[in-house]
Coordinates of all heavy atoms in Angstrom, one line a residue:
Y1 N 4.1 14.0 -12.5 CA 3.2 15.1 -12.1 C 2.0 14.4 -11.5 O 1.4 13.5 -12.0 CB 2.8 16.0 -13.3 CG 4.0 16.7 -13.9 CD1 4.5 16.1 -15.1 CD2 4.4 17.8 -13.4 CE1 5.5 16.8 -15.8 CE2 5.4 18.5 -14.0 CZ 6.0 18.0 -15.3 OH 7.0 18.6 -15.9
D2 N 1.5 15.0 -10.4 CA 0.2 14.5 -9.9 C -0.9 15.3 -10.5 O -0.9 16.4 -10.8 CB 0.1 14.8 -8.3 CG 1.1 14.0 -7.5 OD1 1.3 12.8 -8.0 OD2 1.5 14.5 -6.6
V3 N -2.0 14.6 -11.1 CA -3.1 15.1 -11.8 C -4.3 14.6 -11.2 O -4.5 13.6 -10.6 CB -3.0 14.8 -13.2 CG1 -1.6 15.5 -13.9 CG2 -3.0 13.3 -13.5
T4 N -5.5 15.4 -11.6 CA -6.7 14.8 -11.4 C -7.5 14.8 -12.8 O -7.4 15.9 -13.5 CB -7.6 15.8 -10.5 OG1 -6.9 15.8 -9.3 CG2 -9.0 15.3 -10.4
V5 N -8.0 13.7 -13.2 CA -8.6 13.5 -14.5 C -10.1 13.3 -14.3 O -10.4 12.7 -13.3 CB -8.0 12.4 -15.3 CG1 -6.5 12.7 -15.6 CG2 -8.0 11.1 -14.6
S6 N -10.9 13.7 -15.3 CA -12.3 13.5 -15.2 C -12.8 13.3 -16.6 O -12.2 13.7 -17.7 CB -13.0 14.6 -14.5 OG -12.8 15.9 -15.2
G7 N -13.9 12.5 -16.6 CA -14.5 12.2 -18.0 C -15.8 11.4 -17.8 O -16.3 11.3 -16.7
K8 N -16.2 10.8 -18.9 CA -17.3 10.0 -18.9 C -16.9 8.5 -18.9 O -16.0 8.1 -19.8 CB -18.2 10.2 -20.1 CG -18.7 11.7 -20.2 CD -19.9 11.9 -19.4 CE -20.4 13.4 -19.7 NZ -21.4 13.6 -18.7
L9 N -17.6 7.7 -18.1 CA -17.2 6.2 -18.1 C -18.5 5.5 -18.4 O -19.5 5.8 -17.7 CB -16.6 5.8 -16.7 CG -16.4 4.4 -16.5 CD1 -15.2 3.9 -17.5 CD2 -16.0 4.0 -15.1
T10 N -18.5 4.7 -19.4 CA -19.7 3.9 -19.7 C -19.4 2.4 -19.4 O -18.5 1.8 -19.9 CB -20.0 4.1 -21.3 OG1 -20.3 5.4 -21.4 CG2 -21.3 3.4 -21.6
I11 N -20.3 1.8 -18.7 CA -20.3 0.5 -18.4 C -21.7 -0.1 -18.4 O -22.7 0.5 -17.8 CB -19.7 0.2 -17.0 CG1 -18.2 0.6 -16.9 CG2 -19.7 -1.3 -16.6 CD1 -17.6 0.5 -15.5
H12 N -21.9 -1.2 -19.1 CA -23.1 -1.8 -19.2 C -24.2 -0.9 -19.8 O -25.4 -1.0 -19.3 CB -23.5 -2.4 -17.8 CG -24.5 -3.6 -17.8 ND1 -24.4 -4.6 -18.5 CD2 -25.6 -3.8 -16.9 CE1 -25.4 -5.5 -18.3 NE2 -26.2 -4.9 -17.4
G13 N -23.8 0.0 -20.7 CA -24.8 0.9 -21.2 C -25.1 2.1 -20.5 O -26.0 2.9 -20.9
V14 N -24.5 2.2 -19.3 CA -24.8 3.4 -18.5 C -23.6 4.3 -18.3 O -22.4 3.9 -18.1 CB -25.2 2.9 -16.9 CG1 -25.4 4.1 -16.1 CG2 -26.5 2.1 -17.0
T15 N -23.8 5.6 -18.6 CA -22.6 6.5 -18.6 C -22.8 7.4 -17.4 O -23.8 7.9 -17.1 CB -22.7 7.4 -19.9 OG1 -22.6 6.6 -21.0 CG2 -21.6 8.4 -19.9
Q16 N -21.6 7.6 -16.7 CA -21.6 8.4 -15.5 C -20.3 9.3 -15.7 O -19.3 8.9 -16.3 CB -21.3 7.5 -14.2 CG -22.6 6.6 -13.9 CD -23.7 7.2 -13.3 OE1 -23.5 8.4 -12.7 NE2 -24.7 6.6 -13.3
T17 N -20.3 10.4 -15.0 CA -19.0 11.2 -14.9 C -18.2 10.6 -13.8 O -18.6 10.2 -12.8 CB -19.4 12.7 -14.5 OG1 -20.3 13.2 -15.4 CG2 -18.3 13.4 -14.5
A18 N -16.9 10.4 -14.1 CA -16.0 9.9 -13.2 C -14.7 10.8 -13.1 O -14.3 11.5 -14.0 CB -15.4 8.5 -13.8
S19 N -14.1 10.8 -11.9 CA -13.0 11.7 -11.7 C -12.1 10.9 -10.8 O -12.5 10.2 -10.0 CB -13.5 13.0 -10.8 OG -12.4 13.8 -10.7
S20 N -10.7 11.0 -11.1 CA -9.8 10.2 -10.3 C -8.4 11.0 -10.3 O -8.1 11.8 -11.1 CB -9.5 8.9 -11.0 OG -8.6 8.2 -10.4
K21 N -7.7 10.8 -9.3 CA -6.4 11.3 -9.2 C -5.4 10.2 -9.8 O -5.7 9.1 -9.9 CB -5.9 11.5 -7.7 CG -6.7 12.6 -7.0 CD -6.3 12.8 -5.6 CE -7.2 13.8 -5.0 NZ -6.6 15.1 -4.7
G22 N -4.3 10.8 -10.4 CA -3.4 9.9 -11.0 C -2.0 10.6 -11.3 O -1.8 11.6 -10.6
T23 N -1.1 10.0 -11.9 CA 0.1 10.6 -12.2 C 0.4 10.6 -13.7 O -0.1 9.7 -14.5 CB 1.2 9.8 -11.5 OG1 1.2 8.4 -12.0 CG2 1.0 9.9 -10.0
V24 N 1.2 11.5 -14.1 CA 1.7 11.6 -15.5 C 3.3 11.9 -15.4 O 3.7 12.6 -14.7 CB 1.1 12.8 -16.3 CG1 1.7 13.0 -17.6 CG2 -0.4 12.6 -16.4
K25 N 3.9 11.0 -16.2 CA 5.3 11.1 -16.3 C 5.7 11.2 -17.8 O 5.2 10.6 -18.6 CB 6.0 9.8 -15.8 CG 7.5 9.7 -15.7 CD 8.0 8.4 -15.3 CE 9.5 8.3 -15.5 NZ 10.0 7.1 -15.1
I26 N 6.7 12.2 -18.0 CA 7.3 12.3 -19.3 C 8.7 11.9 -19.3 O 9.5 12.5 -18.5 CB 7.1 13.8 -19.8 CG1 5.7 14.3 -19.8 CG2 7.7 14.0 -21.1 CD1 5.5 15.7 -19.9
S27 N 9.1 10.9 -20.0 CA 10.4 10.3 -20.0 C 11.3 11.1 -20.9 O 10.9 12.0 -21.8 CB 10.4 8.8 -20.3 OG 9.9 8.6 -21.6
D28 N 12.6 10.7 -20.9 CA 13.6 11.5 -21.8 C 13.3 11.3 -23.3 O 13.6 12.2 -24.0 CB 15.0 10.9 -21.4 CG 15.5 11.3 -20.1 OD1 14.9 12.4 -19.6 OD2 16.4 10.7 -19.5
D29 N 12.7 10.2 -23.7 CA 12.5 10.0 -25.0 C 11.0 10.6 -25.4 O 10.5 10.3 -26.5 CB 12.5 8.4 -25.4 CG 11.3 7.7 -24.8 OD1 10.6 8.2 -23.8 OD2 11.2 6.5 -25.2
K30 N 10.5 11.4 -24.5 CA 9.3 12.1 -24.8 C 8.0 11.2 -24.7 O 6.9 11.6 -25.1 CB 9.2 13.0 -26.0 CG 10.5 13.9 -26.2 CD 10.0 15.2 -26.3 CE 11.2 16.1 -26.8 NZ 11.9 16.8 -25.7
T31 N 8.2 10.0 -24.2 CA 7.0 9.2 -24.0 C 6.2 9.7 -22.7 O 6.8 9.9 -21.7 CB 7.4 7.7 -23.8 OG1 8.1 7.3 -24.9 CG2 6.3 6.8 -23.4
L32 N 4.9 9.8 -22.8 CA 4.1 10.2 -21.8 C 3.4 9.0 -21.2 O 2.8 8.2 -22.0 CB 3.1 11.2 -22.3 CG 2.1 11.8 -21.2 CD1 1.9 13.2 -21.6 CD2 1.0 11.0 -21.2
T33 N 3.5 8.8 -19.9 CA 2.9 7.6 -19.2 C 2.0 8.2 -18.1 O 2.4 9.0 -17.3 CB 3.9 6.7 -18.5 OG1 4.9 6.2 -19.5 CG2 3.3 5.5 -17.9
A34 N 0.7 7.8 -18.2 CA -0.3 8.2 -17.3 C -0.9 7.0 -16.6 O -1.2 6.0 -17.1 CB -1.4 8.9 -18.0
N35 N -1.0 7.1 -15.2 CA -1.6 6.0 -14.5 C -2.6 6.5 -13.5 O -2.6 7.6 -13.0 CB -0.5 5.5 -13.5 CG 0.5 4.7 -14.4 OD1 0.3 3.6 -14.8 ND2 1.8 5.2 -14.4
S36 N -3.7 5.8 -13.3 CA -4.8 6.1 -12.4 C -5.5 4.8 -11.9 O -5.6 3.9 -12.6 CB -5.8 7.1 -13.1 OG -6.8 7.4 -12.2
T37 N -5.9 4.8 -10.6 CA -6.7 3.8 -10.0 C -7.9 4.3 -9.4 O -7.8 5.2 -8.6 CB -5.8 2.9 -9.1 OG1 -4.7 2.4 -9.8 CG2 -6.6 1.8 -8.6
F38 N -9.1 3.8 -9.7 CA -10.2 4.3 -8.9 C -11.2 3.2 -8.8 O -11.2 2.1 -9.4 CB -10.8 5.5 -9.7 CG -11.3 5.2 -11.1 CD1 -12.6 4.9 -11.4 CD2 -10.3 5.3 -12.1 CE1 -12.9 4.6 -12.8 CE2 -10.6 5.0 -13.5 CZ -11.9 4.6 -13.8
T39 N -12.2 3.3 -7.9 CA -13.2 2.4 -7.6 C -14.5 2.9 -7.9 O -14.9 4.0 -7.8 CB -13.2 2.1 -6.1 OG1 -11.8 1.6 -5.7 CG2 -14.2 0.9 -5.7
I40 N -15.4 1.9 -8.6 CA -16.8 2.3 -8.8 C -17.7 1.3 -8.1 O -17.3 0.1 -7.8 CB -17.0 2.3 -10.4 CG1 -16.8 0.9 -11.0 CG2 -16.2 3.4 -11.1 CD1 -17.6 0.7 -12.3
N41 N -18.9 1.7 -7.9 CA -19.9 0.8 -7.5 C -20.8 0.2 -8.6 O -21.2 1.1 -9.4 CB -20.9 1.5 -6.4 CG -20.1 2.0 -5.3 OD1 -19.4 1.2 -4.6 ND2 -20.4 3.2 -4.8
L42 N -20.9 -1.0 -8.6 CA -21.6 -1.7 -9.8 C -23.1 -1.2 -9.8 O -23.5 -1.1 -11.0 CB -21.5 -3.2 -9.7 CG -20.2 -3.8 -9.8 CD1 -20.2 -5.3 -9.6 CD2 -19.6 -3.5 -11.2
E43 N -23.6 -0.9 -8.7 CA -25.1 -0.5 -8.6 C -25.2 0.8 -9.4 O -26.3 1.1 -10.0 CB -25.4 -0.3 -7.2 CG -26.9 0.1 -7.0 CD -27.3 0.2 -5.5 OE1 -27.0 -0.8 -4.9 OE2 -27.8 1.3 -5.2
D44 N -24.2 1.7 -9.4 CA -24.3 3.0 -10.1 C -24.4 2.8 -11.6 O -24.7 3.7 -12.3 CB -23.1 3.8 -9.8 CG -23.0 4.3 -8.3 OD1 -24.0 4.3 -7.7 OD2 -21.9 4.7 -7.9
Y45 N -23.9 1.6 -12.1 CA -24.0 1.3 -13.5 C -25.0 0.3 -13.9 O -25.0 -0.3 -14.9 CB -22.6 0.8 -14.0 CG -21.6 2.1 -14.0 CD1 -20.9 2.4 -12.8 CD2 -21.5 2.9 -15.1 CE1 -20.0 3.4 -12.8 CE2 -20.6 3.9 -15.1 CZ -20.0 4.2 -13.8 OH -19.1 5.3 -13.8
K46 N -26.0 0.0 -12.9 CA -27.0 -0.8 -13.1 C -26.6 -2.3 -13.4 O -27.3 -3.0 -14.1 CB -28.1 -0.3 -14.1 CG -28.6 1.0 -13.7 CD -29.8 1.4 -14.5 CE -30.2 2.8 -14.0 NZ -31.2 3.4 -14.8
V47 N -25.5 -2.7 -12.8 CA -25.0 -4.0 -13.0 C -25.6 -4.8 -11.8 O -25.2 -4.4 -10.6 CB -23.4 -4.1 -13.1 CG1 -22.9 -5.6 -13.0 CG2 -22.9 -3.3 -14.2
K48 N -26.3 -5.7 -12.1 CA -26.9 -6.6 -11.0 C -26.2 -7.9 -10.8 O -25.9 -8.6 -11.7 CB -28.4 -6.9 -11.3 CG -29.3 -5.6 -11.4 CD -30.7 -5.8 -11.6 CE -31.3 -4.5 -11.6 NZ -32.7 -4.5 -11.8
I49 N -25.9 -8.1 -9.5 CA -25.1 -9.4 -9.2 C -26.3 -10.5 -9.0 O -27.2 -10.2 -8.1 CB -24.3 -9.2 -7.9 CG1 -23.3 -8.0 -8.2 CG2 -23.7 -10.5 -7.5 CD1 -22.5 -7.6 -6.9
P50 N -26.1 -11.6 -9.6 CA -27.1 -12.7 -9.4 C -27.2 -13.1 -8.0 O -26.1 -13.1 -7.2 CB -26.7 -13.8 -10.3 CG -25.7 -13.1 -11.3 CD -25.2 -12.0 -10.6
T51 N -28.4 -13.3 -7.4 CA -28.6 -13.6 -6.0 C -27.7 -14.7 -5.5 O -27.2 -14.8 -4.4 CB -30.0 -13.9 -5.7 OG1 -30.8 -12.9 -6.3 CG2 -30.3 -14.2 -4.3
M52 N -27.6 -15.8 -6.4 CA -26.7 -17.0 -6.0 C -25.3 -16.7 -5.9 O -24.5 -17.4 -5.2 CB -27.0 -18.1 -6.9 CG -26.4 -18.0 -8.3 SD -26.8 -19.3 -9.5 CE -26.8 -20.7 -8.5
Y53 N -24.7 -15.5 -6.4 CA -23.3 -15.1 -6.2 C -23.2 -13.9 -5.4 O -22.0 -13.4 -5.3 CB -22.7 -14.9 -7.7 CG -22.9 -16.1 -8.5 CD1 -23.8 -16.1 -9.6 CD2 -22.1 -17.2 -8.4 CE1 -23.9 -17.1 -10.4 CE2 -22.2 -18.3 -9.2 CZ -23.1 -18.2 -10.4 OH -23.2 -19.3 -11.1
I54 N -24.2 -13.4 -4.8 CA -24.1 -12.1 -4.0 C -23.1 -12.1 -2.9 O -22.4 -11.1 -2.6 CB -25.5 -11.8 -3.4 CG1 -25.6 -10.3 -3.1 CG2 -25.8 -12.6 -2.2 CD1 -25.8 -9.4 -4.2
D55 N -22.8 -13.3 -2.3 CA -21.8 -13.4 -1.3 C -20.3 -13.5 -1.9 O -19.4 -13.4 -1.1 CB -22.1 -14.6 -0.3 CG -23.3 -14.4 0.5 OD1 -23.7 -13.2 0.6 OD2 -23.9 -15.4 0.9
N56 N -20.2 -13.8 -3.2 CA -18.8 -14.2 -3.8 C -18.4 -13.0 -4.7 O -17.3 -13.1 -5.1 CB -18.9 -15.5 -4.6 CG -19.4 -16.6 -3.7 OD1 -18.9 -16.6 -2.6 ND2 -20.0 -17.6 -4.2
I57 N -19.2 -12.1 -5.0 CA -18.9 -10.9 -5.9 C -18.9 -9.6 -5.1 O -20.0 -9.3 -4.5 CB -19.8 -10.9 -7.1 CG1 -19.5 -12.3 -7.9 CG2 -19.4 -9.8 -8.1 CD1 -20.4 -12.5 -9.1
S58 N -18.0 -8.8 -5.3 CA -17.9 -7.5 -4.6 C -19.0 -6.6 -5.3 O -19.2 -6.7 -6.6 CB -16.6 -6.9 -4.8 OG -16.5 -5.6 -4.1
E59 N -19.5 -5.7 -4.6 CA -20.4 -4.7 -5.0 C -19.7 -3.5 -5.7 O -20.3 -2.6 -6.3 CB -21.4 -4.2 -3.9 CG -22.3 -5.2 -3.4 CD -23.2 -4.8 -2.4 OE1 -23.1 -3.5 -1.9 OE2 -23.9 -5.4 -1.7
S60 N -18.4 -3.5 -5.5 CA -17.6 -2.4 -6.1 C -16.3 -3.1 -6.8 O -16.0 -4.1 -6.4 CB -17.1 -1.4 -5.0 OG -16.3 -2.0 -4.1
I61 N -15.7 -2.4 -7.8 CA -14.6 -2.8 -8.5 C -13.6 -1.8 -8.6 O -13.9 -0.6 -8.6 CB -15.0 -3.5 -9.9 CG1 -15.6 -2.5 -10.7 CG2 -15.9 -4.6 -9.9 CD1 -15.7 -2.8 -12.2
K62 N -12.3 -2.3 -8.7 CA -11.3 -1.3 -8.8 C -10.8 -1.3 -10.2 O -10.6 -2.4 -10.9 CB -10.1 -1.7 -7.9 CG -8.8 -0.8 -8.0 CD -7.6 -1.3 -7.3 CE -7.9 -1.3 -5.8 NZ -6.7 -1.8 -5.0
I63 N -10.7 -0.2 -10.8 CA -10.3 0.0 -12.2 C -9.0 0.7 -12.3 O -8.6 1.7 -11.6 CB -11.4 0.8 -13.0 CG1 -12.6 0.1 -13.1 CG2 -10.8 1.1 -14.5 CD1 -13.8 0.9 -13.7
K64 N -8.0 0.1 -12.9 CA -6.6 0.5 -13.2 C -6.5 1.0 -14.5 O -6.7 0.1 -15.5 CB -5.6 -0.4 -12.8 CG -5.5 -0.8 -11.3 CD -4.5 -1.8 -11.0 CE -4.5 -2.1 -9.5 NZ -3.3 -3.0 -9.2
V65 N -5.9 2.1 -14.8 CA -5.7 2.7 -16.2 C -4.2 3.0 -16.3 O -3.7 3.7 -15.4 CB -6.5 3.9 -16.4 CG1 -6.2 4.5 -17.8 CG2 -8.1 3.7 -16.2
K66 N -3.6 2.5 -17.4 CA -2.2 2.8 -17.6 C -2.2 3.1 -19.2 O -2.6 2.3 -19.9 CB -1.3 1.8 -17.4 CG 0.2 2.1 -17.7 CD 1.2 1.1 -17.2 CE 2.6 1.6 -17.5 NZ 3.6 0.6 -17.0
V67 N -1.6 4.3 -19.5 CA -1.6 4.8 -20.9 C -0.3 5.2 -21.2 O 0.4 5.9 -20.4 CB -2.6 6.0 -21.1 CG1 -2.4 6.5 -22.5 CG2 -4.0 5.7 -20.8
N68 N 0.4 4.7 -22.3 CA 1.6 5.0 -22.8 C 1.5 5.7 -24.2 O 0.9 5.1 -25.0 CB 2.5 3.9 -23.0 CG 3.0 3.3 -21.7 OD1 3.4 4.0 -20.7 ND2 2.8 2.0 -21.4
L69 N 2.0 7.0 -24.3 CA 1.8 7.7 -25.6 C 3.2 8.1 -26.0 O 4.0 8.7 -25.3 CB 1.0 8.9 -25.4 CG -0.5 8.7 -24.9 CD1 -1.1 10.0 -24.5 CD2 -1.4 8.0 -25.9
K70 N 3.4 7.7 -27.2 CA 4.8 8.1 -27.8 C 4.6 9.0 -29.0 O 3.7 8.9 -29.7 CB 5.5 6.8 -28.3 CG 5.9 5.8 -27.3 CD 6.6 4.7 -27.7 CE 7.1 3.9 -26.5 NZ 8.0 2.8 -26.9
P71 N 5.5 10.1 -29.1 CA 5.3 11.0 -30.2 C 5.7 10.3 -31.5 O 6.4 9.3 -31.6 CB 6.4 12.0 -29.8 CG 7.3 11.5 -29.0 CD 6.6 10.4 -28.2
K72 N 5.1 10.8 -32.6 CA 5.4 10.2 -33.9 C 6.7 10.6 -34.3 O 7.2 11.7 -34.0 CB 4.3 10.8 -35.0 CG 2.9 10.4 -34.8 CD 2.0 10.9 -35.9 CE 0.7 10.3 -35.9 NZ -0.1 10.8 -37.0
S73 N 7.3 9.7 -35.0 CA 8.8 10.0 -35.4 C 8.8 10.9 -36.5 O 8.1 11.1 -37.2 CB 9.3 8.7 -36.0 OG 9.3 7.7 -34.9

C-alpha cells in the first residue's frame, strides 16, 4: 500500500513535524513491513557544519526508515 506518514522528528534537541510518502506491505505470515525515505535540511535542526568541513558535508541528509512488525504468537 502507498501511504503518507507524519509525526515528530527530533534531531540535535530540535523537534520538527515531518511528513513522508512510503509503503506498507503485509505478508502472508501477517508481518507488516513499512518503508520510507525522506530528506531533511540540517539547518532546520540547528545542526551547524564546521567551516573547515563546509565543502565536504552536505547541508541536507537522506533518512531511510524500514520497520518490520510481527504479530505476537
Side-chain angles (χ1 to χ4, degrees):
Y1 300 97
D2 292 328
V3 296
T4 300
V5 294
S6 60
K8 303 274 184 188
L9 178 65
T10 302
I11 297 177
H12 204 50
V14 176
T15 301
Q16 299 279 345
T17 300
S19 182
S20 175
K21 293 185 185 245
T23 60
V24 172
K25 178 183 173 187
I26 303 171
S27 61
D28 291 338
D29 69 352
K30 307 240 191 266
T31 298
L32 185 142
T33 302
N35 291 290
S36 181
T37 301
F38 57 97
T39 302
I40 63 155
N41 293 316
L42 294 174
E43 184 178 309
D44 294 343
Y45 292 87
K46 299 185 181 175
V47 175
K48 295 185 181 181
I49 301 170
T51 305
M52 68 186 326
Y53 300 110
I54 200 80
D55 293 332
N56 298 325
I57 298 176
S58 177
E59 294 178 5
S60 63
I61 59 172
K62 184 186 292 186
I63 298 175
K64 293 182 179 183
V65 178
K66 181 175 183 178
V67 178
N68 291 308
L69 301 171
K70 294 185 179 191
K72 290 184 177 184
S73 301

